[in-house]
Structures are given as C-alpha cells and as structure tokens.
Amino acid sequence: MRRKLARGVTAGAAAVVMAAAVQPVSASAGTSSNASAPGGRSNAEAISPAPEDAGQRVEGTSASDAMTAPKGTTSATKVARSAEARIGTGNGVYVGKVKITTRLRNGRYELTDPTRGGLTTVDFGNRDNREESAGKRFTDRDNVWGNGTVSSRQSAAVDAYFAAGKTWDYYQNTFGRKGMRGNGQGPSTIVHYGKGRTEAEYDYGLWFGDGKGDKRPMTELDIVAHEFTHGVVESTVGFARTGDEFRGLNEATCDIFGTMVEFHANLATDTPDYLIGEKVNSHGDGKPMRYMDRPSKDGKSPDYWKPGSGRLDSAHHAAGVANHFFYLLAEGSGKKGINGVAYDSPTYDGSKVTGIGREKAAKIWYKALTTRFTSTTDYKNARAGTLKTTAALYGNAGPEYKAVQKAWTAVNVK
C-alpha cells in the first residue's frame, strides 16, 4: 500500500487529503472493467502515464497526469484538438443533468476536454496502489454519460469532470489563470479510487474515493474545486508541508475557492453555500465536513485564533480561523440567510463586521496568495499580506480596507 495521508507526513507522500477519516482498504481490491451499466454503455481503455515534467513536478507519481497536454503544443495541434470537441450530456450523482464538453476520437467519445487543456477523468478501478495502474479512460458511444446514480460508474465521473471544468472556468474567467499551474494544462481527475474511501486528495492529479459503502462518491463540486486549488497553491505560494499554521492556511485557501467555484457554478442541484462537502455525508451523520460561518460547529475547528491553533489534529481544523475570516469579510457577522441556509457568525470581541461581498473578498485573497504570501506565512502575516493587497486594490481609507482589519480582529488575529 502506498504510504500517504497528510502533506509532510512522509517524504514520499505528496497527497493532500480532503477528509480526515481514512477507511481501511483491502490490498486485494479488484479492478473494474467499466462494463455496461444503466446509463453507462462505456468501454474502458487503459492509459499510460505521461512523461514527467520536471519544471512542474516536484514529488509524487505521474500516473495522474496522463492526459495533460505536453509543453510546446503547436497551434495546428490545438486547432485539431478543438475540432474534436463535442457537447455531451452528463448525469451526475450530485450535479444532476448537465452539458459537458467531450472529445470524439476514432469514433468514440472520451471524458477529455480539448477546450480546457486536455482535462480528463479516468476510472481507477477501485484499486488502492497508485503504482500498479494509471487507470482507464472513460469512453462512450452516444455521448450520454451516467444515470445520476452510483449504479453507473460514469455518474461519479460526470461529477468530477464537470466540477473540474467549472473550476477551470472560474480561475480563467475571474483571474485569467489557465489551469492549476497557469500553464494551460488540464489535470486528470481520478475516480473510483480504493474501496470505501471517504477522502479526496491532490497528488498532481485529483483523486476521489467512492465514500461510505462506495455509495457516496467524494466528487461533490466544492470538494473537487478544493483539490484543484491545492494545485494552484502548490504552483504559487507552496505553503510549507510542516509547521503550525501554514497547512491550515493551505486548507483554508482551498475551502475558500471551493466555495467560490460553487457560487460561480450556481447549480440548482447543489445550491451555493458556505458549507464544505455537505452532500457526501462523509461522517455518516448527515452534516457537512466544515462550516465557514462558525467553524466550531464541526466540534473541532476553532472560530478564533489562539496560540497553538495550527497544532490541531488536522490541518482542515486549523483552517477554521481563515475560513471564518473569509466568511466575515464576504458576508459580515450575525444572523442571515443565504440561498435558504441560515448562518449566525460570531466575532471574538462581540464587534459587528459588515461584509464587502464574496467577489471582492476572493480577489483580495487570490492577490495576497499570489503576490504577498510565502511558504511560511502564518495568520499574523496573512493579516499583513491581505491588508497590503487591499490597499493596492482599493486604497487604505475605504470600506474594503477597514473590513479586512475588522474581520481579522474578529477572529483574534491582530
């Protein structure tokens, strides 16, 4: 079994894990033929790992990079790939019925998007060992994918594929960033990883288990966007893999932009909210993984900074301080309802914070991430970095600057 879990635990583990709970996986987990299922009608084609790109890759395996476009792709190749693009119909477990861009090659459709850098989704066959397989490409005859339930292996693939595409669109449309690493290459998303895994991971590809009982795949929109954002973080600030608060800021950044992608997609089947992974039921209690308005509702995450906040048992819990800051900056403190969800966000000092809107808050965080934060930025330095960024964007005398000051103070970061 591959050694892994949280970043920095072992030298060979590049994975960043979305959920804290890890389910035991049998070493004899079988492979999948991806045979016909209701709504499936797909064959599975083996794919080979792409050559390692030393300029982008610093650790981990290359199995998940199988479909990314190589450097030096010519204009003629790009035109040819665009000509292969087709619009298909996907039926996901969480996203419902959606339109997706696929590729037509040799008379069959593939879950590969020529318009988003070759972004692809592959089936890992419920294996656990990443060294023994690169997964199998999803192919289909009629370009209709999945049936909306886990009885079709394509359904979770639709969720991951669609969500990764929406994340690509968010970063490109909002920040002009093309792909995780800004190089125009789309990632691989790998579904059906292991048996009963209630986790999602970034390991230079986006890896997703099938959840409890293999019936709640970890492919919800904000979870996929969270893992995609780990690639953005890795190629920009590259937070240190060990240390008290760095990993918490890493995870918070991914929650922040996972949430922003959810609002950007604005799906009726997954109403935008400030709840993380609320649909996958990873804990088996029907509750979200995390709450941004009041992180302590999960029973472990802190609402406010205090010494040792970064030394919690999970970096996802340490993320609570920055998640709460972002919610307060975007929406403000106190009680309110957003898209039918009731929130009641407290402040450390009882002060009132007036939000500046999620778009401005995200713009401040992204600019700070890419221009001010370093690998060893802690919460105090994150406050300083976001204030400098806000001053550059909006001036230091306006409501935005004052709101950043107040939101950090409201989570006890001074």
Side-chain angles (χ1 to χ4, degrees), residues 14-34:
V16 178
V17 185
M18 178 70 191
V22 180
Q23 300 298 315
V25 180
S26 170
S28 61
T31 62
S32 168
S33 64
N34 206 23

Side-chain angles (χ1 to χ4, degrees), residues 33-356:
S33 64
N34 206 23
S36 297
R41 301 176 305 285
S42 69
N43 291 337
E45 178 183 346
I47 61 175
S48 300
E52 184 171 309
D53 179 355
Q56 293 296 335
R57 196 175 171 75
V58 296
E59 58 180 335
T61 70
S62 60
S64 59
D65 290 329
M67 294 304 297
T68 54
K71 287 185 177 180
T73 301
T74 65
S75 296
T77 302
K78 291 178 181 178
V79 170
R81 287 183 175 175
S82 296
E84 295 173 334
R86 298 292 187 272
I87 301 300
T89 299
N91 298 284
V93 177
Y94 304 116
V95 301
K97 187 175 182 178
V98 292
K99 294 297 181 184
I100 53 177
T101 302
T102 59
R103 179 170 73 179
L104 179 62
R105 191 179 70 158
N106 299 327
R108 297 188 68 86
Y109 298 97
E110 301 173 354
L111 285 186
T112 299
D113 190 339
T115 70
R116 294 179 176 90
L119 183 156
T120 192
T121 297
V122 301
D123 186 340
F124 205 64
N126 296 108
R127 295 180 178 89
D128 179 67
N129 188 347
R130 300 183 194 184
E131 309 299 338
E132 70 182 10
S133 173
K136 294 182 179 180
R137 182 185 291 116
F138 283 99
T139 67
D140 192 85
R141 289 189 176 89
D142 62 6
N143 214 15
V144 177
W145 304 82
N147 64 5
T149 76
V150 295
S151 65
S152 168
R153 295 184 73 81
Q154 292 184 352
S155 299
V158 168
D159 287 325
Y161 187 70
F162 178 83
K166 284 297 181 182
T167 308
W168 175 288
D169 292 347
Y170 172 76
Y171 277 106
Q172 181 170 352
N173 296 342
T174 307
F175 305 118
R177 184 181 189 85
K178 292 186 178 181
M180 296 191 308
R181 299 165 191 147
N183 61 1
Q185 295 185 10
S188 284
T189 60
I190 300 93
V191 297
H192 306 305
Y193 170 47
K195 294 288 289 183
R197 283 187 173 272
T198 57
E199 58 190 16
E201 305 169 20
Y202 165 70
D203 190 1
Y204 289 87
L206 316 180
W207 296 75
F208 303 97
D210 282 334
K212 286 187 176 296
D214 293 321
K215 296 183 183 301
R216 302 299 297 176
M218 303 295 292
T219 51
E220 188 179 347
L221 180 62
D222 58 356
I223 294 177
V224 176
H226 174 111
E227 300 307 331
F228 190 112
T229 300
H230 273 304
V232 175
V233 171
E234 182 70 29
S235 64
T236 54
V237 64
F239 285 115
R241 296 172 182 84
T242 58
D244 289 350
E245 298 179 8
F246 321 137
R247 294 185 305 134
L249 281 166
N250 187 348
E251 296 299 337
T253 297
C254 297
D255 281 352
I256 287 166
F257 289 113
T259 295
M260 289 304 300
V261 170
E262 189 170 278
F263 275 99
H264 178 75
N266 196 26
L267 298 179
T269 53
D270 190 356
T271 307
D273 53 44
Y274 288 93
L275 311 174
I276 306 299
E278 71 280 4
K279 287 185 172 295
V280 300
N281 193 24
S282 64
H283 300 310
D285 56 7
K287 297 178 181 179
M289 293 179 180
R290 293 181 290 284
Y291 304 78
M292 295 184 75
D293 67 315
R294 189 190 288 257
S296 61
K297 287 176 70 175
D298 68 8
K300 293 185 178 180
S301 299
D303 292 332
Y304 318 114
W305 182 88
K306 64 179 181 179
S309 291
R311 293 191 292 272
L312 298 171
D313 63 349
S314 166
H316 300 95
H317 299 142
V321 176
N323 277 346
H324 193 193
F325 159 80
F326 184 84
Y327 175 87
L328 288 168
L329 181 61
E331 304 292 350
S333 58
K335 294 182 179 180
K336 58 177 58 65
I338 304 170
N339 291 339
V341 178
Y343 301 97
D344 187 4
S345 193
T347 60
Y348 179 77
D349 56 359
S351 63
K352 180 181 179 180
V353 177
T354 300
I356 61 173

